[in-house]
Structures are given as structure tokens and as C-alpha cells.
Amino acid sequence: MDRTGQDERYRGAAAEYGPALERLARAVEADAAERRDLLQEIHFAVWRSLAGFDGRCSMRTWVYRVAHNAAASHVMRRRRAPKGMSIEELVLADDGASPEEIVSENQALERLMAMIRALKAPDAQVMLLYLEDLDAAAIGEITGMSSGAVATKIHRIKALLAKRFKGGRDD
Amino acid sequence: MTDVKSLWRNQKTEETVTLENIHRTAERFQQRTRRGLAIEYGVSVFVIAVFGFYIWALPGSMVKAGSALCIVGVLGILWQMRKRMAVRRVPDLSGPGLVEFHRQELLRQRDAVKSAWLWYILPAIPGMVLMMLGRWYQLHAPGRSLAWDHEVIALCAVIILLGLGIIRLLQVLRVAKLQSKIDELDKLR
């Protein structure tokens, strides 16, 4: 594929999934400057990969997988990457704030980001993809986990969200 | 606040990445790759130059042979590092899943570091030993007594051995750290 075709595909993917990619970068990286670099890196990875897109899976699966791979590499490269908790550990942990204390959407988002960043990378990916409204099969296809393992994690994510957010709907 | 998913998906996004930026990143990426290769070749040329100079300048057949062996050893180490430790590009899609890819990478790194005594430490030893023996038997530093000269050589040998020991200890610790990361990933499967 020539560069023009690759650019064209990228434009389409960026238009459709750009906001999700930004949310991914925001969840993974707290530092604003590093976040911009990470987002750039993710977009670059997507653009580069589209030269080899063969249509064997949906564009959504392709873009998410490339983006999550790039984000995971970023996390693993960080010098002082936190060890991270599993979803199960996070369900049991107490972050000291009650759901009633969350009064604004910004506070809720900050709490959500903190939860995602506290997770081990693979668990954080499942949670992010769940928040992007992907089902267990799609998440499994993207992360390489079995759909059974993903379903179990989603079940725990729902429990976690219900516990941490007042009235958090567990759908 | 009733729906966390909606909250997540409706948050305001503001960053823009242009195609021009992507193209510039692609150019920088290629430049970095070229620079990495240049450094690698630069180190090789430096090592060959230093030990090549020893071969030419220092007397004693054992020291000359030791220097030649050091060149071979360091080139062997560079080749092995490139072969075993090179960071693989994260697969775009066609490869294994993300977790499996990172697990394979960790396994590869662990095995490479585990066997590093064989390909990182051992190749450097014959040349150094031969150079030391050459200094011991064939070269005597002017103005020093033979006993003092031998003590200096023995001290150098001990320092080198200690250095190699520390490198090996760091490798062992690295293997343990990689193994614990692999164990963590295995729990997710």
C-alpha cells in the first residue's frame, strides 16, 4: 500500500477512534507532557500499522489492539512503573473516599483515572475497553486473553464500580 | 451520576494529532534507528582501534594475541547482544495477543540474561587472561621490582574478577525480577 492510501485509512481511523485514543492516553499517563508524547506515539503506531491492515478483523479491533500495545509498551518502559494491583485486590482495597463525597463529574473521572492507574497493565486494559463499551469477546480478541477470563474480570470491574461510585450502574 | 461508562465516554477530548506530526515522527523514528546502528558500529570500530593499537604498539606475542582475542570477544558480545537482547517491535495485530507477546518478550529477556555468563562474560575472559599472562611472563614494567610488578598484575586481575562478579550478580537479580513479572502475567492466564 502506498503512503497516500495509508494516510487515507489513518484519517478515517483517527476521526472515528481519536477520542478513545485520547482517553486511553489520559488513563495511562498522568503527566501532561508525557501524555501528549504518548498520544503522538499511539497515533504513530496506528498510522504505521495501517500499511498492513488486511481486513481480517474489524478496523475497531485493529486500532484498539495497536493502541493498547503502544500504551502497554509505554507503561513497561517507564523507569519507576508502579507494581500495580489486580482488579481483585482493588475491589478489596479502600481508597479512603466514600461514594457520597463525589459530587462532580470531574471528581468522578479523577477517581476513575486513579483506579485505572492503580491497576496492573493487563487489568487496566480490560477495564478501559469495558469503559469503551466493548463486550467480552471483543476485549478478548484485543488483549489476547480468553473470553472466560475477560468475563470474570468484567464481573469484578462491575462490582468495583458499584462499590466506588454511588449508584454506579453495573451494565 | 448513574452511568460510569457514559461518564467515561463523554469526557471532553482536546488533543489533536495531525498527519504532518505523524510523518515527522516517522522520520525521527528512522533517524533514531540509523543513529542506534551508528553507535553500535562506532563502539565496534573503537574497540578494534584500541586493541588493534595494542597489537601494533605493545611488545610480547602473548599480549598481542590477547588483544586480538579481546577484539574477537567484544565483537562476539556485540553480535550476541544484537541477536538476543534487541527489542522487538510490538506486533500490530497479526502476532500473538498482547499478554502473550509481553510474556514471550520477558521469557526471551530472562533466558538471555540467565545465559549471559556464557555470551557476555566468557568471551571477554580468554583475551584478558592472555594479556595478563603476557604481562606476567613477557613484559616487565621498567623501574619496578619483579615482585611489585606481579603484585600490580595480580591486583588488576582481582579487580577485573570482582567487576565480572558484580556484573553477574546484577544479572542474577535481573533474572529474578523478570521471573516475578512472568509469574504475575501467568496469574492472568
Side-chain angles (χ1 to χ4, degrees):
Chain A
M1 161 177 277
D2 63 5
R3 188 174 261 211
T4 315
Q6 188 181 355
D7 287 351
E8 209 48 55
R9 272 186 185 168
Y10 167 76
R11 276 197 198 96
E16 191 161 359
Y17 303 106
L21 300 186
E22 188 177 336
R23 289 192 289 270
L24 167 66
R26 205 177 278 181
V28 167
E29 184 55 67
D31 181 83
E34 288 210 24
R35 189 165 58 234
R36 272 194 296 278
D37 290 346
L38 171 61
L39 186 62
Q40 180 86 20
E41 213 175 296
I42 290 171
H43 276 265
F44 172 59
V46 169
W47 172 80
R48 195 175 55 180
S49 75
L50 287 172
F53 179 65
D54 53 9
R56 274 186 295 173
C57 67
S58 69
M59 179 62 88
R60 182 184 71 165
T61 300
W62 182 281
V63 171
Y64 275 123
R65 186 180 257 193
V66 173
H68 276 258
N69 283 359
S73 299
H74 172 83
V75 172
M76 292 183 94
R77 270 201 314 272
R78 272 201 299 235
R79 279 185 191 169
R80 268 174 266 154
K83 204 172 174 211
M85 285 189 267
S86 65
I87 292 170
E88 295 77 7
E89 287 166 331
L90 200 59
V91 170
L92 296 172
D94 185 1
D95 66 353
S98 71
E100 288 73 20
E101 287 170 29
I102 302 168
V103 289
S104 70
E105 288 196 346
N106 274 349
Q107 277 179 307
L109 273 173
E110 273 173 29
R111 193 175 207 206
L112 199 50
M113 297 281 185
M115 280 165 54
I116 294 165
R117 289 183 197 131
L119 285 170
K120 287 177 180 168
D123 283 9
Q125 279 157 7
V126 174
M127 182 148 173
L128 281 164
L129 292 166
Y130 167 76
L131 290 170
E132 292 294 342
D133 211 19
L134 272 70
D135 60 25
I139 296 173
E141 199 184 354
I142 291 163
T143 59
M145 287 184 207
S146 71
S147 50
V150 174
T152 307
K153 287 194 181 296
I154 287 176
H155 178 72
R156 286 169 185 154
I157 287 168
K158 286 176 182 175
L160 178 68
L161 294 176
K163 184 183 167 191
R164 296 283 176 92
F165 295 92
K166 188 180 179 182
R169 211 169 66 195
D170 62 342
D171 58 348
Chain B
M1 197 269 305
T2 55
D3 187 349
V4 179
K5 276 187 189 175
S6 298
L7 173 77
W8 177 258
R9 296 179 71 199
N10 291 331
Q11 59 180 299
K12 210 165 78 183
T13 51
E14 56 212 14
E15 301 284 348
T16 48
V17 179
T18 63
L19 204 48
E20 288 69 34
N21 281 344
I22 301 268
H23 288 164
R24 270 201 296 274
T25 306
E27 277 158 27
R28 277 202 302 273
F29 179 77
Q30 282 168 347
Q31 277 171 0
R32 266 206 308 273
T33 308
R34 281 197 291 266
R35 205 177 308 138
L37 278 174
I39 289 170
E40 207 169 287
Y41 289 127
V43 169
S44 310
V45 168
F46 177 75
V47 167
I48 291 169
V50 168
F51 285 102
F53 174 76
Y54 288 164
I55 294 171
W56 174 74
L58 294 178
S61 56
M62 287 170 84
V63 173
K64 285 178 190 293
S67 299
L69 270 179
C70 279
I71 291 176
V72 174
V74 172
L75 290 178
I77 290 169
L78 283 170
W79 173 60
Q80 286 290 331
M81 275 181 81
R82 196 167 180 177
K83 192 172 134 191
R84 294 168 187 260
M85 301 293 281
V87 177
R88 277 198 303 164
R89 213 182 94 181
V90 177
D92 293 328
L93 188 75
S94 51
L98 178 65
V99 176
E100 189 50 32
F101 171 76
H102 282 302
R103 190 177 178 279
Q104 291 298 330
E105 278 296 277
L106 290 170
L107 280 175
R108 196 171 65 91
Q109 286 175 30
R110 182 204 61 188
D111 293 343
V113 181
K114 208 172 186 176
S115 61
W117 64 272
L118 190 67
W119 59 268
Y120 190 84
I121 294 178
L122 206 60
I125 289 177
M128 281 195 276
V129 168
L130 203 54
M131 284 186 84
M132 292 270 180
L133 289 175
R135 275 281 284 115
W136 188 283
Y137 290 111
Q138 293 183 340
L139 288 178
H140 176 53
R144 283 185 197 162
S145 72
L146 195 59
W148 183 28
D149 200 35
H150 284 174
E151 277 169 22
V152 170
I153 296 167
L155 182 67
C156 288
V158 169
I159 291 169
I160 289 170
L161 280 175
L162 270 176
L164 293 177
I166 289 169
I167 291 172
R168 187 59 195 153
L169 181 67
L170 292 173
Q171 288 170 349
V172 169
L173 293 173
R174 176 86 183 127
V175 167
K177 200 170 177 183
L178 287 166
Q179 186 59 53
S180 78
K181 283 186 178 178
I182 292 164
D183 294 341
E184 272 177 27
L185 282 183
D186 282 344
K187 283 182 204 159
L188 295 166
R189 300 172 101 199

